[in-house]
Amino acid sequence: DQQVKQNSPSLSVQEGRISILNCDYTNSMFDYFLWYKKYPAEGPTFLISISSIKDKNEDGRFTVFLNKSAKHLSLHIVPSQPGDSAVYFCAALDTAGGGADGLTFGKGTHLIIQP
Amino acid sequence: DTGVSQDPRHKITKRGQNVTFRCDPISEHNRLYWYRQTLGQGPEFLTYFQNEAQLEKSRLLSDRFSAERPKGSFSTLEIQRTEQGDSAMYLCASFWTGRTEAFFGQGTRLTVV
């Protein structure tokens, strides 16, 4: 039972264009969401996060949007650069639960930026 | 380097052997997590320490797995009688209570042959 779903295993985007990665969740107790970026043979690197009290958070080229009613979030990268090619994981946290279960991750989306 | 470090980076072992991995978290972080990632999947929670206390264990953690965090500093994850299904990337993450961003180590890639 996947509580965090990333339905696109891969996404190909042209350099300079916008990359949009999507994530859906089912557990209404999740109140904090994070995006991690992962290169092969390395651990995930934190990218950006958003609390459920917000609907948007922006950091440079990265913006995360949260639609609580739809239980949907998305990561926008603009403009996309070759170094953005990686696997992106969406993760969710139930902070009221004390974080004991840690982060719940989706399966990831492999973003490929084409020159 | 003050990030999370894991040792070894790679481990190849024969089925039935025991293996032990080490994680050194960021020094001021009191929470430490172990995750396992297999191909095509996201990281899956295994177990969690707050300081030296192991507070939560996933159903994924069979009795062949044991984790410790003596003195609330580094942690070890031991797998006894390894099986081919144990082949995976084992990730350690740490963060400070009250914060939500977990910082990951580079992982230990285990291959059981």
Side-chain angles (χ1 to χ4, degrees):
Chain A
D1 178 26
Q2 277 256 296
Q3 297 187 68
V4 177
K5 299 177 184 178
Q6 293 177 258
N7 292 320
S8 297
S10 66
L11 176 66
S12 184
V13 174
Q14 202 165 12
E15 182 180 356
R17 306 293 290 267
I18 183 170
S19 296
I20 300 175
L21 295 91
N22 293 305
C23 177
D24 297 289
Y25 62 96
T26 58
N27 187 342
S28 57
M29 298 301 293
F30 289 144
D31 59 351
Y32 205 86
F33 304 91
L34 305 91
W35 285 93
Y36 281 83
K37 178 179 179 180
K38 187 179 183 302
Y39 292 117
E42 292 187 10
T45 303
F46 170 73
L47 200 56
I48 193 170
S49 62
I50 188 166
S51 164
S52 61
I53 63 173
K54 295 185 176 181
D55 55 17
K56 177 182 175 181
N57 188 26
E58 190 172 354
D59 183 3
R61 296 186 298 113
F62 302 92
T63 303
V64 56
F65 295 92
L66 175 62
N67 182 333
K68 279 185 62 179
S69 61
K71 293 192 176 67
H72 176 85
L73 61 154
S74 60
L75 173 68
H76 292 212
I77 305 173
V78 55
S80 300
Q81 298 175 354
D84 296 331
S85 295
V87 177
Y88 288 78
F89 290 102
C90 172
L93 191 62
D94 168 12
T95 60
D101 284 352
L103 297 166
T104 301
F105 285 85
K107 291 187 177 184
T109 295
H110 185 194
L111 177 63
I112 301 162
I113 305 301
Q114 295 183 333
Chain B
D1 187 342
T2 57
V4 179
S5 63
Q6 291 187 246
D7 183 69
R9 292 288 307 277
H10 305 276
K11 178 72 178 179
I12 300 174
T13 190
K14 291 184 178 179
R15 190 174 53 185
Q17 297 293 305
N18 299 345
V19 294
T20 300
F21 311 139
R22 177 180 170 123
C23 170
D24 287 272
I26 294 171
S27 58
E28 61 267 27
H29 287 183
N30 61 342
R31 291 190 173 194
L32 186 149
Y33 289 78
W34 285 97
Y35 290 84
R36 180 172 70 187
Q37 184 183 12
T38 53
L39 197 62
Q41 302 293 321
E44 296 172 294
F45 168 77
L46 291 179
T47 190
Y48 150 59
F49 290 86
Q50 178 146 327
N51 300 312
E52 67 275 9
Q54 187 174 18
L55 297 185
E56 194 75 23
K57 287 167 58 172
S58 162
R59 288 171 294 176
L60 292 175
L61 215 64
S62 76
D63 56 8
R64 295 184 297 105
F65 288 69
S66 62
E68 294 182 343
R69 192 184 181 196
K71 303 178 184 177
S73 56
F74 72 92
S75 176
T76 57
L77 178 68
E78 181 184 14
I79 310 174
Q80 295 182 327
R81 305 181 303 282
T82 52
E83 301 173 355
Q84 287 189 321
D86 297 331
S87 295
M89 172 80 86
Y90 290 84
L91 294 161
C92 174
S94 72
F95 59 100
W96 183 251
T97 297
R99 298 297 302 270
T100 49
E101 295 83 18
F103 292 85
F104 283 83
Q106 291 186 305
T108 295
R109 167 75 64 189
L110 173 66
T111 303
V112 181
V113 296

